[in-house]
Amino acid sequence: MRKGKLAKLYTIAAAAALATSLVIPLAPQTAHADRGVVDLWKAIKPLTTIASAMNTGAHPDDEHSAMLAYLSLGKGVDTSSVIANRGEGGQNEIGSELGNALGIIRTRELQEASKITNIHLENLSEKIDDPIFDFGFSKSPDETLEKWGEDVAYERLIRKIRTLRPDVVIPAFLNEPSTHGHHRAINVITVRAFKDAADPNVFPEQLKEGLSPWQVKKLYVPAQEKDYSVSVPVGAYDEIYGASYVQLGEESRFMHKSQGMGRHYDEGPSFSYYKLDQSIVETKAKEADFFAGIAYTFDDLAKETASQSGGEKVANELKKLQTDAEEVIAAYPSFAAVAKEAHEMLADVQKALRDVESSSLPAAAKTDLLHRLGVKQAQLNKASAEALSLVTKVKPETNELVAGQTTKVTVSAYNGGQAKVNNVKLALNVPKGWQARALSATSFPSLGYNQTVKTTYEVTVPGHAELFQPYAAPAITADVSYSFAGSTANSHVLPADAVAVLPAFAMTLDPNATVLNTLKPQDPIPVKVTVKNYNPGAAQTSISLEAPEGWSVEPKAAPLAFDAKGETKSVAFTIKASASVKPAPYTITAVAAGGGKESRHGAQVIRYPHIGTTYFVQPATLNVQAFDLKVPAGLKVGYVSSGFDNIDQYLSQLGVDVTNLTAKDIESGDLGQYDTIVLGIRAYGFRPELIPSNARLLKYVENGGNLVVQYHKPEDKWKPELAPYPIKIGTPLIQWRVTDENSPVTMLAPDHALFNTPNKITEEDWNNWIQDRSAYNPSEWGKEYTELIANGDPGEKEFTGTFLTAKYGKGTYTYSSLVWYREIPSLVPGAIRMFVNMVSLQQ
């Protein structure tokens, strides 16, 4: 079988192997060989160039995947991607997680995507609830930077540039009005950073920490074929990978499953275009590639170094590295030969590092050379492990720990290659304050073919250990060092899944958000607290709820005893507010106490096949929003969920009789039994039975039913004729939305039942909305509709098609692009009152 075909099997089946992680191959008999051969090439190709590039973006999935695949996998360029936020404000196409939980998913997807294109990933957002967050769609870079904190975002970007020191920087988007404000903001600060990263007067505190100013040599922006400086041949087919760079890039994009990303492309020529925006080197109108005029090889670097005072000796070492790199490439695909050449090059890199340190080169030149040689040393460490078929692992006894626990962690090295390695040392790394004690030898004189050495460490987590932070560096890692062919290499190892310090008793409240109707303040609020024991064995605790002053909780406390780790038990509580409760938000907190310890958190397990297992640790609370609400008795609603919202759950909490309609219900069931049928957001795109059954839905309305349709995108198979009177969704979508959640709203039909029955809607009901007002607003609609509101972003023309309703036969059809799916789970009183009115029409 040809190497290209072997590689193609690899790329389809084993994307994540780019980070030397274990994969599940499509063809077990050949995939191991494919993975080794292709990964070996990926590891040695970067040795041929000393150039570097950085792509900046705002959200996970903003990276220019095809271009990055070309640079990293095709050219071997040291390539990085810097992404601002975690995508917390988006939608989820694989589950119900939103907000921070979605941000965790999208971050893990981005990490896995980056492994496929073999790039170094960094985020400007550093932690949960970071100031640099995805607050939803923005039309303005100024608004974005104001909300992020411009100085915070800019300081972090300058820090990344000074740390990674890219020769070329490429923002993923232009700063133009038709572009998302987050994208525009990243362009603005990236373009500005071209000069500022080199200015020692900009964030001088970074220099005191050991960073040095860095002058990026070129900055390019996205362009089109009619006006560009560089065309990147992303459609070029690479025989070793068995795919084009577009296909390799899309392979990484398929990892963004929560966003429905990834497309299949046929083979054939295609290009990505970029225009030079700033440069400190001489350039031409049309350039061969990004690196024209920039040192690209060790020979280029040697020429630059030789021209500087004290640089001749170092220049000779760099020329030797040029020869070394060529010899490594020439040895491919022989694993043994590549291993020998790579270790000879590693020895020369280590000597060059010493020579640079002792040279009389100017400080800036020293810093630059030490950085580039440090990158090569890391790349050679990876190349060594691949060429020697050295498999290193760190395997915890358990990935779920609690403060004060003692556990075991095993570090191992397996030699799958024919060459023997010597002086093998296994080291475990743990956070400050943790204790790690080796229970057996950590050094081994040699490791031969098909042999394994391992060391088990006893690890103790301190009693004050911080709970798991999903964006922090892994708590437990390992380093495996070994000698071969005259030089010593090191393999840095991460666990396969997150190792997390979790609450000893993780609690989940059901519900975790609810409404307290001030018209019935003494109505009890039933709460179930589910407790999972993460202690390593039997444990006891007492569960209680902390409520606002004057509120009552029964029982006061409930003891729980667990026999084993992972066991789950539940406790039922009844909460009653004080008779004088006022409209306001309130918080109920669950507390697990006993043995001098206290837990106040829950741990949401986030697990998907493409990202593995991680956790979202958050306070175990119930948010209660008190306000007056009238709900008609006996109201019966059929809900057609798309899986992207959970409004049906909140309607049930309010006392509405909600039935989730199945495909069979929609196709042949008795729709007339429901007072109202609600279609969840984008339902036509994700419930295939809807379009064939649309005539039944319209007949339901005609016969006196109340049909409520939430927003859709054109790609959701929406057609104007799906509505009883045509509704066309505005395009481009970016222009047909209201992003300012505080923008004024005018009720155009204040006497309409929707604003009066059963709840009287006033201007106050438009207060305290979150993130947006509306998305994907209609641009055209039939004259039969009543326009209910006018609303727009400041300085823009107002939309009047956001909230439309019409009589059709005996019933009512309402189409709304207000973002109910965000407002109702956030317990926004006005949104809930209006939604109840909407589903109560004709009652």
Side-chain angles (χ1 to χ4, degrees):
M1 186 180 289
R2 289 192 305 110
K3 185 189 299 179
K5 291 185 178 179
L6 287 173
K8 194 162 190 176
L9 287 176
Y10 164 83
T11 57
I12 294 172
L18 281 155
T20 68
S21 58
L22 186 63
V23 295
I24 301 174
L26 287 178
Q29 296 303 312
T30 61
H32 181 79
D34 296 350
R35 186 169 66 243
V37 170
V38 177
D39 274 356
L40 180 61
W41 181 253
K42 290 171 184 170
I44 65 174
K45 181 62 178 177
L47 303 177
T48 62
T49 174
I50 51 84
S52 56
M54 174 186 288
N55 187 207
T56 62
H59 318 91
D61 93 331
D62 280 353
E63 66 272 23
H64 283 198
S65 304
M67 181 268 290
L68 292 174
Y70 172 78
L71 288 181
S72 177
L73 301 178
K75 302 278 285 182
V77 169
D78 177 30
T79 310
S80 58
S81 175
V82 176
I83 301 298
N85 61 45
R86 309 283 176 163
E88 306 96 328
Q91 299 169 28
N92 186 354
E93 296 199 8
I94 59 173
S96 59
E97 298 91 348
L98 291 174
N100 283 325
L102 176 59
I104 293 169
I105 291 172
R106 290 193 171 182
T107 297
R108 285 290 300 117
E109 291 177 335
L110 178 60
Q111 290 167 346
E112 293 302 316
S114 299
K115 290 178 185 178
I116 292 170
T117 46
N118 206 29
I119 63 170
H120 178 81
L121 170 66
E122 294 281 349
N123 285 88
L124 299 186
S125 168
E126 296 176 349
K127 60 185 183 300
I128 294 290
D129 296 326
D130 196 271
I132 301 175
F133 69 106
D134 182 358
F135 57 82
F137 193 87
S138 171
K139 296 178 181 177
S140 162
D142 296 335
E143 178 202 33
T144 299
L145 292 172
E146 180 183 357
K147 289 193 173 183
W148 285 355
E150 185 168 350
D151 285 348
V152 172
Y154 197 45
E155 189 276 337
R156 291 182 187 176
L157 178 61
I158 294 288
R159 181 181 294 274
K160 300 299 183 189
I161 291 173
R162 287 173 173 174
T163 300
L164 298 174
R165 302 169 70 86
D167 295 315
V168 173
V169 171
I170 309 156
F173 296 93
L174 295 169
N175 177 22
E176 54 187 18
S178 62
T179 303
H180 194 322
H182 297 183
H183 299 161
R184 297 177 66 185
I186 287 299
N187 173 282
V188 167
I189 61 176
T190 301
V191 170
R192 190 195 312 164
F194 180 82
K195 292 181 179 178
D196 282 354
D199 186 345
N201 296 311
V202 175
F203 303 118
E205 65 276 9
Q206 294 181 358
L207 278 55
K208 296 176 183 177
E209 298 170 17
L211 290 176
S212 299
W214 176 246
Q215 179 59 67
V216 176
K217 296 175 178 63
K218 291 183 181 180
L219 185 139
Y220 291 87
V221 295
Q224 296 179 339
E225 185 176 3
K226 62 185 179 182
D227 183 20
Y228 69 90
S229 306
V230 170
S231 63
V232 179
V234 293
Y237 192 87
D238 193 308
E239 291 180 319
I240 290 181
Y241 300 118
S244 70
Y245 300 110
V246 168
Q247 291 170 329
L248 291 168
E250 287 304 304
E251 191 175 325
S252 79
R253 298 195 74 73
F254 275 111
M255 281 295 159
H256 297 292
K257 295 184 186 300
S258 68
Q259 301 183 73
M261 291 292 169
R263 294 172 57 189
H264 293 283
Y265 283 91
D266 289 333
E267 295 75 11
S270 63
F271 297 86
S272 294
Y273 299 98
Y274 297 89
K275 188 172 181 62
L276 184 67
D277 184 81
Q278 298 181 67
S279 177
I280 64 162
V281 300
E282 191 173 324
T283 62
K284 298 178 180 178
K286 288 287 189 292
E287 299 176 300
D289 62 24
F290 292 129
F291 305 99
I294 298 175
Y296 187 77
T297 66
F298 279 107
D299 275 348
D300 296 335
L301 194 58
K303 291 176 184 176
E304 289 186 356
T305 304
S307 67
Q308 301 185 68
S309 174
E312 287 187 12
K313 181 180 179 182
V314 172
N316 289 332
E317 292 293 336
L318 296 174
K319 291 177 183 177
K320 187 184 295 184
L321 291 175
Q322 177 73 39
T323 301
D324 287 340
E326 292 169 357
E327 290 174 347
V328 172
I329 296 298
Y332 182 80
S334 168
F335 282 78
V338 168
K340 176 179 176 296
E341 298 297 341
H343 269 265
E344 289 180 1
M345 184 175 182
L346 180 59
D348 288 342
V349 165
Q350 291 166 346
K351 183 177 185 303
L353 283 165
R354 294 191 296 270
D355 288 348
V356 171
E357 284 280 14
S358 62
S359 74
S360 58
L361 280 164
K366 272 190 176 185
T367 300
D368 182 48
L369 286 168
L370 290 173
H371 173 79
R372 294 184 194 275
L373 291 170
V375 169
K376 285 292 157 259
Q377 183 169 241
Q379 291 171 347
L380 282 160
N381 281 331
K382 184 176 180 180
S384 166
E386 291 292 347
L388 291 167
S389 297
L390 194 70
V391 181
T392 54
K393 295 180 181 179
V394 54
K395 298 177 72 173
E397 187 177 51
T398 174
N399 288 66
E400 298 171 341
L401 304 170
V402 298
Q405 180 176 347
T406 296
T407 189
K408 289 183 173 64
V409 180
T410 300
V411 182
S412 65
Y414 165 80
N415 188 349
Q418 299 300 317
K420 182 174 70 173
V421 297
N422 301 310
N423 303 318
V424 181
K425 296 180 181 179
L426 310 178
L428 183 70
N429 310 309
V430 297
K432 185 178 180 180
W434 293 38
Q435 295 180 0
R437 181 173 66 90
L439 301 179
S440 57
T442 60
S443 299
F444 305 88
S446 64
L447 181 63
Y449 170 68
N450 213 22
Q451 291 181 344
T452 301
V453 292
K454 62 178 62 177
T455 301
T456 298
Y457 284 81
E458 183 179 78
V459 175
T460 300
V461 184
H464 60 272
E466 288 187 5
L467 294 172
F468 179 69
Q469 300 291 330
Y471 302 150
I476 292 177
T477 63
D479 283 291
V480 177
S481 65
Y482 54 93
S483 298
F484 176 75
S487 60
T488 298
N490 183 80
S491 181
H492 187 63
V493 197
L494 307 181
D497 262 326
V499 176
V501 177
L502 302 175
F505 302 98
M507 296 168 288
T508 304
L509 282 70
D510 184 18
N512 62 8
T514 194
V515 169
L516 172 64
N517 193 344
T518 53
L519 299 179
K520 304 175 182 178
Q522 289 298 290
D523 277 5
I525 302 174
V527 179
K528 182 174 76 170
V529 180
T530 300
V531 186
K532 185 172 184 178
N533 175 35
Y534 279 108
N535 290 282
Q540 295 182 348
T541 190
S542 177
I543 308 299
S544 61
L545 295 180
E546 285 186 354
E549 186 176 354
W551 293 37
S552 66
V553 179
E554 291 294 338
K556 301 290 185 187
L560 287 180
F562 299 90
D563 295 325
K565 178 179 180 177
E567 189 177 357
T568 300
K569 293 188 175 183
S570 297
V571 180
F573 291 91
T574 300
I575 303 170
K576 286 189 177 180
S578 64
S580 58
V581 65
K582 303 295 184 184
Y586 299 91
T587 301
I588 311 292
T589 302
V591 181
K597 295 184 179 180
E598 188 175 271
S599 292
R600 291 171 171 261
H601 287 81
Q604 180 180 352
V605 180
I606 297 175
R607 181 180 292 121
Y608 288 95
H610 66 303
I611 61 172
T613 301
T614 186
Y615 306 87
F616 178 26
V617 176
Q618 55 188 319
T621 57
L622 163 63
N623 295 318
V624 180
Q625 179 67 52
F627 62 95
D628 63 288
L629 178 68
K630 296 177 182 177
V631 181
L635 182 60
K636 191 172 183 180
V637 171
Y639 203 92
V640 182
S641 175
S642 59
F644 297 155
D645 69 75
N646 54 4
I647 291 175
D648 53 318
Q649 299 173 26
Y650 289 91
L651 291 176
S652 295
Q653 284 185 32
L654 299 175
V656 178
D657 179 4
V658 178
T659 299
N660 278 285
L661 301 185
T662 66
K664 185 177 180 180
D665 294 330
I666 295 166
E667 291 167 344
S668 59
D670 177 16
L671 301 181
Q673 64 181 298
Y674 302 105
D675 299 308
T676 298
I677 293 175
V678 179
L679 303 191
I681 59 173
R682 307 184 64 191
Y684 280 102
F686 294 87
R687 294 292 296 267
E689 70 276 13
L690 277 179
I691 291 179
S693 301
N694 194 62
R696 294 192 81 237
L697 292 173
L698 295 184
K699 191 67 176 178
Y700 158 80
V701 179
E702 194 174 10
N703 290 339
N706 181 31
L707 181 62
V708 172
V709 180
Q710 298 180 70
Y711 81 71
H712 281 73
K713 297 181 180 181
E715 60 261 37
D716 298 327
K717 303 175 185 174
W718 177 265
K719 296 179 181 178
E721 57 268 25
L722 289 173
Y725 314 110
I727 294 177
K728 182 180 179 181
I729 299 170
T731 56
L733 299 178
I734 195 171
Q735 297 177 7
W736 293 85
R737 59 196 305 162
V738 179
T739 63
D740 185 350
E741 63 272 29
N742 299 310
S743 53
V745 177
T746 302
M747 289 183 280
L748 300 176
D751 296 331
H752 195 280
L754 207 146
F755 293 136
N756 292 277
T757 306
N759 299 283
K760 177 66 176 177
I761 303 302
T762 69
E763 289 185 5
E764 289 186 5
D765 288 295
W766 298 102
N767 295 338
N768 303 312
W769 283 50
I770 67 159
Q771 191 159 320
D772 301 289
R773 285 289 192 201
S774 60
Y776 318 119
N777 287 316
S779 58
E780 298 177 23
W781 52 91
K783 65 182 186 306
E784 295 85 354
Y785 290 102
T786 298
E787 300 166 0
L788 292 168
I789 67 169
N791 173 237
D793 281 318
E796 296 184 2
K797 183 180 178 181
E798 290 191 321
F799 299 111
T800 58
T802 299
F803 207 175
L804 302 170
T805 191
K807 296 295 292 183
Y808 181 66
K810 299 177 182 178
T812 304
Y813 181 95
T814 301
Y815 185 96
S816 173
S817 48
L818 289 164
V819 287
W820 307 108
Y821 80 104
R822 292 199 188 279
E823 310 309 319
I824 291 176
S826 296
L827 305 180
V828 176
I832 293 174
R833 285 156 52 83
M834 266 182 280
F835 205 93
V836 168
N837 283 12
M838 190 162 54
V839 298
S840 302
L841 286 175
Q842 301 180 359
Q843 295 302 305

